[in-house]
Amino acid sequence: MAEQWSAKNPYMTSITENYILNGEGSRKETRHIVFDLGDSGLDYKVGDALGVIAENPPHIVDELIEVQGWDRDQTVTTHKGERTLYDALKKDFEVHMANKKFVKSLASKVVSTGMNISMAFVSRQRNDDAWNASDDDARPTGLKASVPSNDPAAQVEAINADVKAVEDYLWTRDYVDIMREFEVKYTIEEFMELADKLKPRLYSIASSHDAHPGFVELTVGIVRFEYNGRARGGLCTQFMADEINTSGAPIGVFMSPTKSFVLPEDKDIDIIMVGPGTGIAPFRAFMEQRVHDGGKGRNWLFFGDQSASTEFYYKDTIEGWVDEGHLYKFTTAWSRDQEEKIYVQHRLKEHGKEVWEWFENGAYFYICGDKQYMAKDVHRALIDIAIEHGGMSEADATHFIEKTMMREQKRYLRDVY
Ligand SMILES: Cc1cc2nc3c(=O)[nH]c(=O)nc-3n(C[C@H](O)[C@H](O)[C@H](O)COP(=O)(O)OP(=O)(O)OC[C@H]3O[C@@H](n4cnc5c(N)ncnc54)[C@H](O)[C@@H]3O)c2cc1C
Ligand SMILES: NC(=O)c1ccc[n+]([C@@H]2O[C@H](COP(=O)([O-])OP(=O)(O)OC[C@H]3O[C@@H](n4cnc5c(N)ncnc54)[C@H](OP(=O)(O)O)[C@@H]3O)[C@@H](O)[C@H]2O)c1
């Protein structure tokens, strides 16, 4: 029965708990969200991810229909079947962010006035604070709105001239912004041909099914930002935060099982888990499973985020595991609680001697969270530890971490995004 649920045929369920994990004054909105698995027959193991099917924010769909002068009740046929235009835009396409194909299509919509233009591109500054709705000063600047309106055709050509320019342009504008900027009209068919089909989002499961039978739990960082005076953000995170409350509103889910990000079969093997930010999710699940299974393997968790006062997710649970001896070691890295940044890789290196002893003793090493920066820096820290405490050359240390531990022994495992 459980096999019938998939991205194409999700199990429609409801959320039973949905609350913010951050303390007051946090720059972030990270939520703990619990889904009821009801009569689905769905099962999961720790390390698996949950697929979630979301919808576009209603205000964006309304604005899009309004700016194009479309009829929201018109019946249209999409890849999902027949429905009203409103439903099609809300559920079947990613209309919360514009795509490159659409920017290219502007060339056939705008008319040249034959006038010269001057354009000022300013690279967006991707700053980690870009994720934070409350951090106005730190937002990416995007392509400054200094594109003069004298020749739309030349403007479109300049934007489409190189990939970076298109990306910068799209960083601060969605369909509504672009349609307003160039005063262009599309037929519904033209638009549906250009827009991306709505895709599910994956989330690392933060619970063990043995500890929470019939439920699946997530730790979700909500994406919000604002450009051109309009509230915008991530499709799925906003949907879960703003539209799906605990009143029983339906939401589609499916399981995305992992083959590799799994606990050691031997419960007596030690594990080291590194999961800053929302990277904590699978390790809450791992700990619940290890407590349930009751092996002799020791557990060491590295966790951190901006501040202990506002981002200490699952504090009581974690401290309970420490007090009860389930968590042998708990090492924190609060990046903004002092002048200099302290990250998990700094803590790993500080504890390098002991980390190396655990490796020599056969420990598994797990990492979850940011792929772009954190995972790379932690990877480097592991190589440095092998050099310093394993007495290896750079080449041997790299070989040990990347080939021996990761590929051959499969005890360096990653869930990064
Ligand atoms: C295996 C896996 C596990 C994951 N586990 C988790 C998890 O446990 N918890 C979790 O929170 N996430 C997790 N993610 C990430 C998650 O899948 C989504 O990518 C994330 O929640 C954002 O989805 P969204 O639909 O809200 O945003 P989207 O609609 O996909 O938008 C995100 C995009 O918005 C753009 N963007 C972001 N900020 C700005 C800004 N300020 N200005 C302009 N553009 C901006 C960026 O292009 C970004 O890629 C996981 C991903 C994978 C692949
Ligand atoms: N797809 C999306 O739209 C979306 C939304 C939210 C988050 N994310 C991404 O999801 C991942 C997790 O986000 P999150 O908010 O849970 O946590 P996060 O942004 O990864 O932050 C967690 C902690 O990691 C620190 N950090 C920053 N750079 C680091 C580095 N190079 N090495 C080690 N630690 C570093 C942060 O410090 P400082 O902040 O003090 O630098 C913070 O203390 C990240 O990839 C984040 O960019 C994506």
Side-chain angles (χ1 to χ4, degrees):
M1 179 185 171
E3 296 78 50
Q4 73 189 67
W5 310 119
S6 64
K8 285 210 167 102
N9 182 35
Y11 175 64
M12 296 309 292
T13 185
S14 58
I15 284 176
T16 57
E17 283 182 72
N18 184 349
Y19 56 85
I20 295 176
L21 291 163
N22 307 83
E24 210 161 306
S26 174
R27 293 179 171 84
K28 298 191 173 190
E29 179 182 339
T30 304
R31 286 173 177 264
H32 185 74
I33 304 183
V34 180
F35 297 75
D36 191 349
L37 292 177
D39 60 359
S40 65
L42 281 168
D43 192 12
Y44 61 89
K45 65 182 179 304
V46 296
D48 287 350
L50 185 76
V52 179
I53 317 273
E55 297 177 14
N56 292 275
H59 75 276
I60 301 277
V61 178
D62 285 334
E63 284 177 305
L64 184 56
I65 290 173
E66 195 220 301
V67 77
Q68 289 297 294
W70 292 329
D71 172 5
R72 58 186 285 134
D73 298 321
Q74 180 182 335
T75 303
V76 297
T77 307
T78 76
H79 54 285
K80 290 287 187 70
E82 230 177 53
R83 53 197 62 223
T84 63
L85 174 66
Y86 181 86
D87 274 355
L89 296 178
K90 185 139 180 17
K91 297 176 186 190
D92 296 354
F93 299 95
E94 306 240 343
V95 306
H96 73 307
M97 281 184 199
N99 65 16
K100 292 178 189 160
K101 220 162 117 188
F102 181 79
V103 179
K104 287 244 172 321
S105 81
L106 289 171
S108 66
K109 290 280 174 187
V110 295
V111 182
S112 174
T113 57
M115 292 170 76
N116 288 331
I117 59 151
S118 67
M119 296 189 66
F121 287 93
V122 176
S123 289
R124 76 202 132 155
Q125 296 150 13
R126 283 195 198 242
N127 178 311
D128 285 332
D129 284 338
W131 314 112
N132 305 322
S134 57
D135 212 335
D136 290 331
D137 297 336
R139 291 222 184 93
T141 51
L143 174 67
K144 287 274 191 258
S146 53
V147 183
S149 59
N150 44 12
D151 188 348
Q155 289 173 33
V156 168
E157 200 184 320
I159 294 163
N160 280 318
D162 78 285
V163 180
K164 183 80 173 57
V166 182
E167 281 175 6
D168 281 352
Y169 182 75
L170 286 172
W171 188 253
T172 55
R173 293 163 174 84
D174 69 351
Y175 289 117
V176 174
D177 293 322
I178 300 170
M179 287 164 171
R180 283 188 183 146
E181 193 170 332
F182 287 102
E183 297 176 0
V184 283
K185 296 279 186 217
Y186 285 75
T187 65
I188 293 160
E189 290 71 27
E190 280 174 331
F191 182 78
M192 292 196 310
E193 190 60 40
L194 290 166
D196 294 330
K197 290 177 184 160
L198 192 138
K199 293 176 293 299
R201 307 296 196 259
L202 294 181
Y203 293 90
S204 313
I205 291 175
S207 53
S208 147
H209 210 181
D210 287 323
H212 306 268
F215 295 91
V216 58
E217 314 198 351
L218 306 180
T219 313
V220 180
I222 310 301
V223 182
R224 296 187 195 275
F225 45 89
E226 189 183 308
Y227 293 115
N228 310 311
R230 298 172 53 238
R232 304 213 6 240
L235 178 105
C236 192
T237 55
Q238 283 191 122
F239 183 62
M240 289 192 279
D242 301 341
E243 285 189 64
I244 299 296
N245 50 36
T246 51
S247 68
I251 181 164
V253 298
F254 61 94
M255 290 298 164
S256 177
T258 178
K259 284 207 181 99
S260 53
F261 198 74
V262 291
L263 281 171
E265 267 176 44
D266 181 347
K267 297 173 183 41
D268 295 343
I269 289 181
D270 296 341
I271 64 170
I272 299 175
M273 299 162 279
V274 177
T278 51
I280 187 71
F283 303 135
R284 177 179 182 268
F286 277 22
M287 281 305 301
E288 287 184 345
Q289 197 62 48
R290 297 269 280 190
V291 171
H292 176 271
D293 292 349
K296 285 201 222 77
R298 294 173 302 168
N299 305 305
W300 185 355
L301 174 64
F302 287 80
F303 172 67
D305 207 314
Q306 295 187 350
S307 173
S309 60
T310 45
E311 279 86 34
F312 198 158
Y313 311 140
Y314 309 117
K315 183 173 191 281
D316 293 347
T317 310
I318 291 173
E319 288 176 348
W321 287 328
V322 174
D323 291 347
E324 289 154 22
H326 297 304
L327 202 46
Y328 180 82
K329 253 176 129 69
F330 176 51
T331 307
T332 55
W334 304 113
S335 56
R336 304 194 188 190
D337 277 353
Q338 60 288 307
E339 275 289 301
E340 78 286 7
K341 291 267 184 177
I342 295 177
Y343 289 156
V344 283
Q345 63 271 23
H346 302 134
R347 295 299 194 211
L348 272 166
K349 286 174 82 167
E350 277 170 29
H351 294 269
K353 187 167 173 288
E354 202 173 350
V355 168
W356 185 251
E357 283 164 11
W358 280 50
F359 282 176
E360 285 195 313
N361 200 32
Y364 275 48
F365 183 87
Y366 297 90
I367 176 170
C368 180
D370 172 46
K371 184 185 195 168
Q372 211 182 350
Y373 304 107
M374 187 274 297
K376 287 182 185 148
D377 292 349
V378 166
H379 184 79
R380 180 65 235 177
L382 294 183
I383 294 172
D384 290 344
I385 288 171
I387 293 170
E388 193 181 341
H389 301 282
M392 294 181 178
S393 66
E394 169 81 28
D396 287 349
T398 307
H399 188 275
F400 176 75
I401 297 298
E402 292 178 2
K403 294 269 162 30
T404 312
M405 270 190 75
M406 199 180 226
R407 303 233 166 80
E408 290 163 22
Q409 299 174 342
K410 296 188 179 13
R411 62 181 175 114
Y412 168 15
L413 301 168
R414 301 198 283 188
D415 175 18
V416 294
Y417 44 88

